[in-house]
Amino acid sequence: MKTTSLSRSSDPSPRSAAAFVRHTVSKNRNTHRWLATAAIVAALAGTSPAQVPQLINYQGRVAVGGVNFEGPGQFKFALVNADSPPAIYWLNSADTTPEDGVPDAAVELTVTKGLYSVLLGENMTAIPAAVFTYPDVRLRVWFDDGTHGFQLLSPDQRIAAVGYAMMAGNVPDGAITSAKIASGAVTGANIASGTITGTQLASGASAANLNAGGQSGVAGGGLVLSADPSNSNLANAGYVKLGRLDLGDGWDQGAGGSPPGARTRHTAVWTGSEMIVWGGRRFTSNFNDGGRYNPTSNNWTALPSTGAPIGRAYHTAIWTGSEMIVWGGSNFSGCLNNGGRYNPTSNTWTALTTTAAPAARRYHTAVWTGNMMIVWGGDDLGSNPFNTLGLYNPASNTWTAATTAGAPAARYDHTAVWTGSEMIVWGGLDSGFLNDGGRYNPTSDTWTAVTTTSAPAARSNHTAVWTGSEMIVWGGRGGSDLNDGGRYNPTSDSWTALPSTGVPAARAYHTAVWTGSEMIVWGGYEAQMGGYFNNGGRYNPSSDNWTILTTNGAPAARYSHTAVWTGSEMIVWGGSGSNTLNDGGRYNPTSDSWTAVTTTTGAPTGRSSHTAVWTGGEMIVWGGYGFNTGGRYNPAGNSWTAATNTGAPTARSSHTAVWTGSEMIVWGGSSGSTYLNDTARYTPERTLYLYQRP
């Protein structure tokens, strides 16, 4: 599409504008549209600004060099007519050089995949109501991508009247009846006090209105229960809060709709409001169906089968913010290199192209960068690991094979961290232990080898944490258990060895958490002696020193435990040692002290294959092999509260549990040889407040 430039001598030439900036318009796809209503047009045409905001919502698309622009951009706006030179009705800011008709100040907007949106008149010069008394009004836009300067985008976009607004001036007196007024359009502010009396209300009208809103009429002195401790609606209606009713915790089992069939090896993603389950297997069957569970409505919605990928397990599923992308995995015919994107808003599947897709695989990793999915590694059902990488762009439904130049050798049991701009792969196993790696930058499609100079010894089953500027590697196994490590700085491509003084003993299967300033290592297993650990250390990269954790009050030695960082403490719980454990401890690095996680009343019994979720104030442990019990641990009070067993689902293991912000949702799993597909919601606290009508 042609672009033009202004006559102002300081602006770029018409050639540069055409070469770099494109302003596209598509009537079919509405990439440029005016979101105006009759009310908005009327407001700008002459209604008082105090009644309707003098704002117009505009959406457009901009491309640079034929590619949809991404990131912050500078914009200038004007309302003009079609004359040459045009009459200028409005500018987004003052113009100290009126001869060029260009605003002095720009508006910065975020452009996503070429699309931008702006409220014209907000945080800029107000739009005069008189503008829309003219028959021909057009929006003129200038754009600067930060490199090529401001370009005039062409053509100017004409503002058309909303069809029904054309009738506004011709409505005869008395023609507007109640049928023409939208529900809720007339509020108390528009009605004079005392105008409507009981004689104007139809019999039962008030009760019908309450019922329509899910309420009911309450007689004088009647009580109303509300989950809101400060219900302004009830307070404004004259209700008086009497107190609270603590109901304790509780289970709510069952869900409407069509839950997915029983299975295992499925995937589950949380969208922010729903849990989406898909795929998996059971005995000799692979599934390609699934469901969406909405805890608010307590209802399952079956995912459509039209366009869905073929059944599989061991696949990956990521949530992009608007879609779930499923890829790879295997079924009984072999590994797969296809997949699909599911959009819950449109309830549709879109097949992923296989053109240029990575080779079929399972046990791979998938990372979402913000606009692309990066797939790396995995194997092909045999002992053949991959070192190939693919990038999938859902906006264009295209795969781009990443360069293999400089890519690390194929491996498994490695670590991978995402820095915000690069994926760093290091260590692992192939035919032997490895101590090399690589950094992949998806923007430039380049691998940069991670230097081996001063790198830690080759290993697998190590831990790696990202500090915000460095990757810290520690421990693991490389023929024998290790207790050394290093800090890798991708900016300088350099390793700094971790100090050997004060370091914890060599181990694997330990846990490591990043506190924001230190890495805390604890527990684990030592293969040579067959021993377990209940000690550890804190490494501070700023001072480059280790501090051994006190063992006073520390939990019993263990491995395969869980460790959670709350923001001020590390909570260790469960795992295996001489037996299966159900105790733990809280470690405070500020005071270098342990507080035992109590095993008194309310503490769950020892178990495995259970789930644990963090609510923000408590850890909820539930289920496990042979159990349908659980408990809530409060670190502030160092106390367990047994989760009620009344109404709890059947005992199970290998189930999924997610925390929604107010409830824990449990789904699926197995009980012996029985696969389960039921749903249950656990609410830790249920408090209702009593309000009385005067």
Side-chain angles (χ1 to χ4, degrees):
M1 181 170 290
K2 181 180 178 182
T3 58
T4 60
S5 64
L6 298 175
S7 58
R8 188 175 180 180
S9 60
S10 61
D11 286 332
S13 68
R15 182 210 62 78
S16 64
F20 294 109
V21 180
R22 183 161 58 94
H23 192 53
T24 61
V25 180
S26 170
K27 293 182 179 178
N28 292 332
R29 298 189 64 182
N30 291 324
T31 53
H32 289 267
R33 58 185 183 274
W34 286 91
L35 303 179
T37 64
I40 293 176
V41 174
L44 291 175
T47 306
S48 169
Q51 293 176 309
V52 179
Q54 292 181 253
L55 304 173
I56 294 180
N57 189 357
Y58 175 73
Q59 294 183 344
R61 183 189 297 272
V62 65
V64 178
V67 178
N68 287 336
F69 183 75
E70 185 82 18
Q74 300 292 321
F75 292 82
K76 295 182 179 182
F77 301 98
L79 293 174
V80 301
N81 67 5
D83 295 345
S84 182
I88 299 175
Y89 302 136
W90 170 82
L91 298 171
N92 69 270
S93 75
D95 179 15
T96 55
T97 53
E99 66 275 7
D100 66 7
V102 182
D104 292 340
V107 178
E108 182 173 302
L109 300 174
T110 299
V111 183
T112 304
K113 298 178 181 178
L115 296 176
Y116 65 93
S117 177
V118 62
L119 278 175
L120 297 173
E122 182 176 67
N123 298 323
M124 57 184 78
T125 303
I127 301 177
V131 166
F132 295 97
T133 61
Y134 297 100
D136 184 2
V137 180
R138 300 166 186 258
L139 177 67
R140 177 163 288 187
V141 182
W142 295 264
F143 171 68
D144 181 3
D145 64 351
T147 302
H148 303 98
F150 279 98
Q151 312 292 326
L152 173 62
L153 307 185
S154 177
D156 296 338
Q157 302 297 302
R158 186 171 185 180
I159 303 176
V162 175
Y164 292 103
M166 298 171 64
M167 294 293 296
N170 301 311
V171 177
D173 293 342
I176 298 178
T177 65
S178 60
K180 302 293 192 298
I181 302 175
S183 176
V186 179
T187 65
N190 307 114
I191 302 173
S193 178
T195 301
I196 299 176
T197 65
T199 59
Q200 274 80 46
L201 297 177
S203 177
S206 296
N209 182 268
L210 288 170
N211 291 332
Q215 306 174 57
S216 62
V218 179
L223 297 176
V224 174
L225 295 175
S226 172
D228 188 350
S230 302
N231 193 313
S232 58
N233 291 329
L234 291 176
N236 293 336
Y239 284 76
V240 177
K241 186 169 73 171
L242 299 180
R244 54 185 284 173
L245 181 63
D246 293 314
L247 301 179
D249 60 346
W251 285 95
D252 181 10
Q253 284 200 64
S258 304
R263 66 196 64 194
T264 188
R265 305 296 183 185
H266 54 280
T267 52
V269 299
W270 179 251
T271 70
S273 60
E274 292 183 320
M275 175 179 67
I276 305 179
V277 169
W278 190 83
R281 70 173 45 159
R282 180 187 182 192
F283 301 129
T284 59
S285 298
N286 288 284
F287 295 98
N288 78 328
D289 61 356
R292 292 157 40 199
Y293 176 69
N294 187 316
T296 302
S297 61
N298 190 29
N299 192 72
W300 280 96
T301 301
L303 269 58
S305 58
T306 303
I310 61 174
R312 66 194 66 199
Y314 305 106
H315 53 284
T316 53
I318 62 169
W319 178 249
T320 70
S322 60
E323 292 182 319
M324 174 181 71
I325 304 181
V326 169
W327 189 82
S330 65
N331 56 26
F332 298 114
S333 298
C335 286
L336 304 164
N337 76 331
N338 52 37
R341 290 158 33 209
Y342 175 69
N343 187 317
T345 302
S346 60
N347 193 31
T348 56
W349 283 97
T350 301
L352 270 60
T353 180
T354 56
T355 302
R361 64 193 67 191
R362 64 175 183 171
Y363 299 134
H364 54 283
T365 56
V367 175
W368 179 247
T369 70
N371 56 21
M372 289 188 298
M373 175 179 71
I374 301 180
V375 169
W376 195 82
D379 72 19
D380 61 356
L381 289 181
S383 58
N384 301 309
F386 292 100
N387 77 329
T388 54
L389 183 150
L391 298 92
Y392 176 72
N393 186 328
S396 58
N397 190 25
T398 56
W399 282 98
T400 302
T403 180
T404 57
R411 65 195 64 198
Y412 60 97
D413 282 345
H414 55 280
T415 53
V417 298
W418 177 251
T419 70
S421 60
E422 292 182 321
M423 176 179 68
I424 305 179
V425 171
W426 191 82
L429 276 166
D430 185 5
S431 56
F433 295 98
L434 302 167
N435 77 330
D436 59 355
R439 291 157 36 208
Y440 178 71
N441 186 318
T443 303
S444 59
D445 184 30
T446 56
W447 280 99
T448 301
V450 171
T451 182
T452 57
T453 302
S454 301
R459 67 194 66 199
S460 67
N461 296 303
H462 51 283
T463 53
V465 298
W466 177 250
T467 70
S469 60
E470 292 182 317
M471 175 181 70
I472 304 179
V473 168
W474 189 82
R477 181 165 297 159
S480 61
D481 290 317
L482 303 166
N483 72 334
D484 58 357
R487 290 159 41 199
Y488 176 70
N489 187 319
T491 303
S492 59
D493 185 32
S494 61
W495 284 97
T496 301
L498 268 60
S500 58
T501 303
V503 68
R507 66 195 68 192
Y509 303 109
H510 53 282
T511 54
V513 299
W514 177 250
T515 70
S517 60
E518 292 183 318
M519 175 181 70
I520 305 180
V521 169
W522 191 83
Y525 177 74
E526 196 273 326
Q528 281 69 41
M529 302 299 293
Y532 316 114
F533 293 98
N534 77 330
N535 55 36
R538 289 156 34 206
Y539 174 69
N540 188 318
S542 297
S543 59
D544 190 30
N545 73 285
W546 282 96
T547 301
I548 293 297
L549 273 58
T550 181
T551 57
N552 291 332
R558 66 195 67 198
Y559 70 102
S560 296
H561 51 282
T562 56
V564 175
W565 177 250
T566 69
S568 60
E569 292 182 318
M570 175 182 71
I571 303 178
V572 169
W573 192 85
S576 296
S578 57
N579 51 44
T580 304
L581 302 164
N582 77 324
D583 60 355
R586 291 157 38 206
Y587 176 72
N588 186 320
T590 302
S591 59
D592 185 30
S593 62
W594 285 96
T595 301
V597 172
T598 180
T599 57
T600 57
T601 303
T605 56
R607 63 196 64 195
S608 63
S609 298
H610 55 280
T611 52
V613 298
W614 178 252
T615 70
E618 292 183 320
M619 174 179 67
I620 305 177
V621 170
W622 191 82
Y625 190 79
F627 292 96
N628 75 332
T629 58
R632 293 153 34 208
Y633 177 70
N634 186 322
N638 187 25
S639 61
W640 279 99
T641 301
T644 180
N645 198 37
T646 303
T650 57
R652 67 196 62 203
S653 60
S654 301
H655 52 283
T656 55
V658 296
W659 178 251
T660 70
S662 60
E663 295 177 316
M664 175 180 70
I665 304 175
V666 170
W667 189 83
S670 63
S671 178
S673 60
T674 301
Y675 293 87
L676 304 167
N677 71 330
D678 56 342
T679 307
R681 295 152 50 196
Y682 175 72
T683 306
E685 294 180 1
R686 294 182 298 174
T687 299
L688 296 178
Y689 297 86
L690 284 77
Y691 293 81
Q692 185 178 43
R693 180 181 171 185

